[in-house]
Amino acid sequence: MAGILDFSILAPVQMGDKVDGEDRFFHSDGSGVGVGNGTLFLWERCSASGEILRGYYPKDHCLEHKSLRLEVGVWGLLDQKPSLCSFIFVNPENDIVEMTFARLRVLCGSGELKISLATYRLFYDING
């Protein structure tokens, strides 16, 4: 997958027409897409006032070819804020596509996409 500042991976996302340095694109209304600031997302779309409108989580991965293991934090966002988050995936034709977490939830609800608990993690709680 491309490096963190390679915006070409965000091809399906309306980037913007004005570049600010190497890490942010702006629209005429002041909103833009840029590198995330310490969140789970490598890129974020922000309003003109700086409010995060959507986080983008790129994965060089095709769900149609192979299952995907998700980190707990990503799964939590998928469950809690599905309209504010998107994966950037590769489809079977090797095109880069955006899939919102809301769409993933619909696919899970319809049974088209399955959720599998792949592992259990055991640990001692020395405080409890």
Side-chain angles (χ1 to χ4, degrees), residues 14-18 25-33 45-50 53:
Q14 183 68 28
M15 293 296 291
D17 50 16
K18 180 180 168 192
F25 291 82
F26 288 98
H27 294 278
S28 58
D29 66 1
S31 67
V33 174
R45 176 177 298 286
C46 294
S47 68
S49 64
L53 302 174

Side-chain angles (χ1 to χ4, degrees), residues 11-110:
V13 176
Q14 183 68 28
M15 293 296 291
D17 50 16
K18 180 180 168 192
V19 178
D20 179 20
E22 295 181 0
D23 63 354
R24 192 161 295 278
F25 291 82
F26 288 98
H27 294 278
S28 58
D29 66 1
S31 67
V33 174
V35 173
N37 293 319
T39 67
L40 287 171
F41 302 107
L42 291 182
W43 296 287
E44 296 171 339
R45 176 177 298 286
C46 294
S47 68
S49 64
E51 175 189 9
I52 297 174
L53 302 174
R54 176 158 296 157
Y56 298 103
Y57 193 83
K59 294 298 277 185
D60 188 8
H61 191 88
C62 178
L63 284 177
E64 288 90 341
H65 291 155
K66 186 178 175 187
S67 63
L68 175 65
R69 187 179 301 230
L70 295 177
E71 295 86 5
V72 172
V74 174
W75 182 257
L77 286 171
L78 173 66
D79 195 41
Q80 296 169 11
K81 298 180 180 182
S83 63
L84 298 179
C85 311
S86 286
F87 277 113
I88 304 296
F89 284 132
V90 177
N91 70 12
E93 292 78 32
N94 213 28
D95 297 322
I96 298 168
V97 294
E98 177 182 359
M99 183 178 288
T100 65
F101 282 20
R103 175 74 179 136
L104 282 173
R105 289 183 73 180
V106 167
L107 292 173
C108 290
S110 73

